[in-house]
């Protein structure tokens, strides 16, 4: 884990190693300023750890996901898209992080990718230990063989339709120091 943190640091990310979900919850609270607009991307890591609920129900931030869900997609679709693409903070997870320091994100809808790839002023990812893989090939295998079956079952139960790896984003470096924080957990979290 220390080698991964060093690799992320060398690529411009700001990694922190934490013991588990409780430490991540406290750290996320410290990292996000009050009243910031925060988009919590779909993430079992955030949901199961309680971080998503902290953001969306706490009243401390301007939580964008609940706001977007209340908006009419037919008449306000462009407003939703713009709002989620450029929050003050995007908070989520990744499917894998390589030992070389690359972050790998997969998405069915692609809704979180604009903010992840550069639209958000600040990016924070909470990453369980089980998501560390050797290289990009191992990350893609993990996506196909591990993450997709679990996400597919979750999507079927939640929405009544399957998931898919329709969009794939690989972040190899962060050119703006201090903009992207990766909270590496010593424990497993999420898929």
């Amino acid at each position: 884990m220390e080698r991964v943190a060093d690799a992320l640091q060398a690529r411009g990310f700001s990694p922190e190693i934490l013991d588990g979900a409780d430490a991540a919850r406290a750290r996320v609270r410290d990292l996000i300023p009050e009243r910031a607009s925060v988009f919590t991307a779909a993430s079992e890591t955030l949901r199961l750890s309680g971080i998503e609920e902290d953001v969306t129900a706490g009243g401390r931030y301007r939580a964008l996901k609940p706001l977007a869900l209340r908006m009419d997609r037919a008449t306000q679709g462009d407003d939703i898209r713009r709002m989620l693409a450029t929050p003050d903070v995007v908070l989520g997870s990744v499917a894998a992080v390589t030992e070389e320091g690359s972050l790998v994100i997969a998405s069915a809808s692609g809704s979180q990718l604009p903010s992840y790839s550069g639209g958000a002023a600040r990016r924070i990812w909470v990453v369980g230990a089980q998501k560390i893989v050797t290289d990009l090939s191992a990350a893609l295998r993990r996506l196909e063989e591990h993450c997709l079956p679990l996400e597919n079952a979750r999507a079927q139960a939640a929405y009544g339709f399957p998931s898919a790896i329709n969009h794939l984003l690989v972040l190899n470096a962060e050119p703006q120091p201090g903009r992207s924080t990766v909270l590496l957990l010593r424990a497993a979290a999420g898929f």
Side-chain angles (χ1 to χ4, degrees):
M1 187 159 291
E2 285 76 13
R3 278 195 334 264
V4 172
D6 289 344
L8 288 164
Q9 183 77 41
R11 291 178 175 222
F13 297 100
S14 299
E16 299 179 25
I17 298 174
L18 304 171
D19 286 333
D22 290 339
R25 286 176 85 172
R27 187 64 182 125
V28 164
R29 184 176 172 89
D30 291 341
L31 288 170
I32 303 175
E34 286 188 46
R35 293 182 290 285
S37 65
V38 181
F39 173 35
T40 49
S43 164
E44 285 297 281
T45 300
L46 295 184
R47 187 184 69 78
L48 295 171
S49 66
I51 294 170
E52 181 174 29
E53 185 176 347
D54 291 347
V55 171
T56 60
R60 178 180 169 94
Y61 314 109
R62 182 170 174 251
L64 298 181
K65 186 188 284 185
L67 178 60
L69 292 173
R70 290 191 304 268
M71 295 170 74
D72 183 283
R73 291 208 179 279
T75 61
Q76 297 176 294
D78 283 342
D79 295 329
I80 294 168
R81 180 181 47 79
R82 282 189 287 271
M83 178 179 69
L84 298 183
T86 59
D88 295 329
V89 179
V90 65
L91 176 62
S93 191
V94 301
V97 59
T98 69
E99 290 179 357
E100 294 94 6
S102 293
L103 303 174
V104 180
I105 299 112
S107 178
S109 71
S111 63
Q112 78 276 36
L113 299 186
S115 58
Y116 274 10
S117 66
R122 183 85 193 272
R123 304 176 298 181
I124 302 169
W125 293 284
V126 181
V127 182
Q130 83 280 12
K131 296 181 181 186
I132 296 172
V133 297
T134 53
D135 56 24
L136 188 56
S137 294
L140 297 176
R141 271 194 314 280
R142 182 175 198 287
L143 277 169
E144 292 282 343
E145 297 171 7
H146 179 76
C147 300
L148 182 57
L150 293 171
E151 177 57 20
N152 192 50
R154 187 201 69 78
Q156 287 281 12
Y159 314 123
F161 54 84
S163 188
I165 301 171
N166 293 329
H167 304 270
L168 186 62
L169 176 65
V170 178
L171 299 172
N172 287 318
E174 172 51 72
Q176 298 176 337
R179 181 178 182 209
S180 296
T181 301
V182 182
L183 302 178
L184 298 169
L185 308 185
R186 293 188 187 280
F191 293 162

